[in-house]
Amino acid sequence: MKRQSRSFEIALAALVCAVGAVSLTLGSFVDFLLAMGYMIAVFALMVLLTKRLVRGYILAYVGMVILAFLFTGFAMGIFQLLPFVAFFGLHPLANWLQREYTKRKPLHLLWFVLKAVWFDLSLWLAWVVLEEFLGLADIYWYDFIQDNLFLLLSVGGTLVFAVYDYMIFLCQRAADGVMRRLRR
């Protein structure tokens, strides 16, 4: 693959950063669009990985998080964007590193276990931070959830993560195919 110029990498990272910041900000202000804002930001970041622009990915990720915090206000933004900052924004990079540098099957299993633990810890962090803010103590099943939190996170979170991880691999493969057909 032809090596992209530094100016192309910065320009593409800026475009991705703008798309991601707008989608995260819109998702923060309109509650039912939050998950869609996460996904648009993740898909935008994947474009940089199709061209193997890891520095641009990191630059765009940091830029979109900072801009989304500035647009939403730090107090509101920390609660809305915590899952994206802790896991969803970095997960495509972990998948790309796994795909590029891991060739043996047992190492793929190790990658999956590490990413699943990372996902479960991100869910736990979100629960701890958002529990008081969202008033989760008032819900009907709160005592059951609080008593079985680690079991729910380790089993349920890992099952959800397995599906999510597979789908993100498929989305990255589709993005690679689209970008391969397009010229710079």
Side-chain angles (χ1 to χ4, degrees):
M1 175 184 277
K2 180 180 144 185
R3 175 87 176 120
Q4 301 296 331
S5 68
R6 191 77 44 112
S7 59
F8 177 77
E9 182 175 7
I10 292 171
L12 189 58
L15 183 64
V16 165
C17 178
V19 168
V22 167
S23 67
L24 290 173
T25 302
L26 184 62
S28 292
F29 285 123
V30 183
D31 289 334
F32 68 91
L33 294 179
L34 185 60
M36 187 176 73
Y38 281 9
M39 294 312 294
I40 290 172
V42 166
F43 292 151
L45 285 168
M46 283 182 189
V47 170
L48 291 162
L49 295 178
T50 62
K51 299 270 187 193
R52 304 175 60 96
L53 302 173
V54 177
R55 283 182 299 210
Y57 181 97
I58 294 168
L59 183 67
Y61 169 75
V62 169
M64 77 173 55
V65 167
I66 289 171
L67 286 174
F69 275 136
L70 289 175
F71 292 154
T72 59
F74 189 76
M76 181 179 135
I78 190 74
F79 296 115
Q80 298 286 334
L81 301 175
L82 180 67
F84 182 81
V85 172
F87 179 77
F88 292 105
L90 296 171
H91 180 250
L93 182 62
N95 279 357
W96 183 81
L97 290 171
Q98 177 185 354
R99 191 178 67 177
E100 288 294 315
Y101 297 111
T102 306
K103 302 301 178 206
R104 296 184 181 166
K105 288 285 185 190
L107 292 177
H108 282 288
L109 181 62
L110 178 65
W111 269 99
F112 175 78
V113 169
L114 290 174
K115 290 187 301 184
V117 168
W118 177 30
F119 180 73
D120 293 342
L121 288 174
S122 298
L123 287 177
W124 175 78
L125 177 66
W127 174 264
V128 168
V129 170
L130 297 178
E131 178 181 13
E132 189 67 33
F133 175 72
L134 296 177
L136 297 177
D138 299 332
I139 63 173
Y140 179 70
W141 290 37
Y142 178 77
D143 293 330
F144 174 77
I145 293 171
Q146 203 57 17
D147 292 340
N148 301 306
L149 182 64
F150 290 108
L151 179 66
L152 290 170
L153 288 179
S154 62
V155 174
T158 304
L159 290 174
V160 168
F161 173 73
V163 173
Y164 176 77
D165 191 45
Y166 179 71
M167 294 305 217
I168 290 296
F169 269 118
L170 291 179
C171 290
Q172 183 66 51
R173 189 179 311 158
D176 290 343
V178 168
M179 292 303 282
R180 199 175 308 118
R181 282 179 260 156
L182 296 175
R183 290 205 177 128
R184 181 176 137 167

